[in-house]
Amino acid sequence: MVIKVFLASSSGSTAIKKKQQDVLGFLEALKVDYAPLDIACNEDNRMWMRENVPVEKKPTNGIPLPPQIFNEESYCGDYETFFDAKEDNAVYAFLGLPPPPGSKEAKEAYLLENGPVENGTIVNGTDDAEDEENLEAEEENIDDDTLKREVPMEECNGDEHTEEVEAEVGGETGEEAAEEKVAEEKEAVEDTEESLENTKAPVKEEEAQEEAEDEEAKGEDDQPVSEEEEAPEVRGGRRRSDRGSRGRRG
């Protein structure tokens, strides 16, 4: 594709000359191939330019002034639109040319199409947007699964209903679970009573032993005291009494 720039080499307008130089100098700086077409020395060029400039782009008098820019037969614009494109870093888009790799306009075009880039990864681009949507969908599914998950009865009702839950899980009916619970409670009561009996047994044995010891001590107190066991004072008293009795008898 060849860029055509229609200009007037012998124009007496300083403003027109300046605009033409500005366009050609910028194209040379960008290393864009172009063909300058003089309308002052070539009537065919002037007629072709006037015929191919769109009506809405022509001035009030219907005669467009140079410079006018074309990409082959496609109209690009006049100096004003070229200047706006240069200010917006969109000259290649204005000319209908792909921007060279690495150019500022190429980067901006890439960002515009795919979104910002961070560490070599596209951010907020089409692919990233789809990934975010998929991630959100997965998170929603995870949340739904978490909500649908049945909470164990032990966590809801505490440990006191553990046996009932295990009975239901094992396929037992509510009545069987209740009967089993009653039997376990009865067994617990019997174990408690047996423990109390075992506790009372040593106490009764101690009481019986104490009673036996008391009876034995009482029996010893009731037995007669032998003369050998009598106190010396008692035996002396008896001897004096016997002597007195004998004296009265003599």
Side-chain angles (χ1 to χ4, degrees):
M1 293 182 290
V2 179
I3 301 300
K4 299 177 181 180
V5 182
F6 291 86
L7 46 82
S9 58
S10 60
S11 175
S13 172
T14 305
I16 291 176
K17 288 181 179 181
K18 185 178 182 305
K19 291 177 181 179
Q20 292 175 165
Q21 291 175 358
D22 190 9
V23 171
L24 297 179
F26 196 78
L27 293 177
E28 289 176 0
L30 295 179
K31 297 181 180 180
V32 175
D33 294 334
Y34 69 92
L37 300 176
D38 190 359
I39 63 174
C41 301
N42 192 316
E43 184 67 21
D44 293 336
N45 291 337
R46 182 172 66 235
M47 295 301 298
W48 191 95
M49 182 193 75
R50 291 181 179 181
E51 291 175 358
N52 288 276
V53 172
V55 177
E56 63 273 12
K57 299 295 182 179
K58 291 179 181 180
T60 305
N61 59 9
I63 299 175
L65 298 175
Q68 298 290 333
I69 305 168
F70 289 79
N71 184 341
E72 296 291 348
E73 281 75 25
S74 299
Y75 181 70
C76 296
D78 56 8
Y79 176 80
E80 281 71 19
T81 53
F82 172 81
F83 180 82
D84 292 340
K86 183 173 69 172
E87 291 295 319
D88 296 337
N89 293 320
V91 174
Y92 287 98
F94 167 80
L95 297 174
L97 300 175
S103 65
K104 187 174 182 180
E105 186 173 345
K107 293 179 180 179
E108 291 182 355
Y110 183 83
L111 295 178
L112 182 62
E113 181 179 358
N114 300 299
V117 178
E118 292 182 1
N119 298 326
T121 303
I122 299 174
V123 179
N124 296 330
T126 304
D127 296 338
D128 191 66
E130 293 178 356
D131 293 339
E132 288 182 356
E133 291 178 359
N134 295 333
L135 181 60
E136 291 177 357
E138 291 178 0
E139 291 178 352
E140 291 178 357
N141 293 332
I142 292 173
D143 293 338
D144 293 340
D145 294 340
T146 303
L147 293 174
K148 292 178 181 179
R149 182 178 63 86
E150 295 183 0
V151 179
M153 295 296 294
E154 292 88 345
E155 297 179 6
C156 295
N157 301 328
D159 294 337
E160 64 175 343
H161 299 295
T162 303
E163 288 104 1
E164 296 179 3
V165 176
E166 292 177 353
E168 291 179 359
V169 173
E172 297 181 359
T173 61
E175 294 180 357
E176 292 177 351
E179 291 177 359
E180 183 177 352
K181 186 175 182 181
V182 171
E184 291 179 356
E185 292 177 353
K186 184 177 180 181
E187 184 178 353
V189 172
E190 291 177 355
D191 292 340
T192 304
E193 292 177 353
E194 184 178 353
S195 299
L196 292 175
E197 291 294 333
N198 294 333
T199 304
K200 292 178 180 180
V203 175
K204 289 181 179 180
E205 291 179 359
E206 291 180 0
E207 292 177 353
Q209 186 176 357
E210 290 178 357
E211 290 178 359
E213 292 176 355
D214 292 340
E215 290 293 335
E216 184 178 354
K218 186 177 180 181
E220 291 178 355
D221 294 339
D222 293 341
Q223 290 180 359
V225 178
S226 62
E227 293 182 357
E228 294 178 356
E229 294 177 350
E230 287 182 350
E233 294 81 2
V234 177
R235 290 198 301 271
R238 287 182 180 179
R239 289 174 183 176
R240 287 193 295 269
S241 178
D242 292 340
R243 289 176 183 176
S245 298
R246 291 174 184 175
R248 284 193 297 268
R249 288 177 183 175

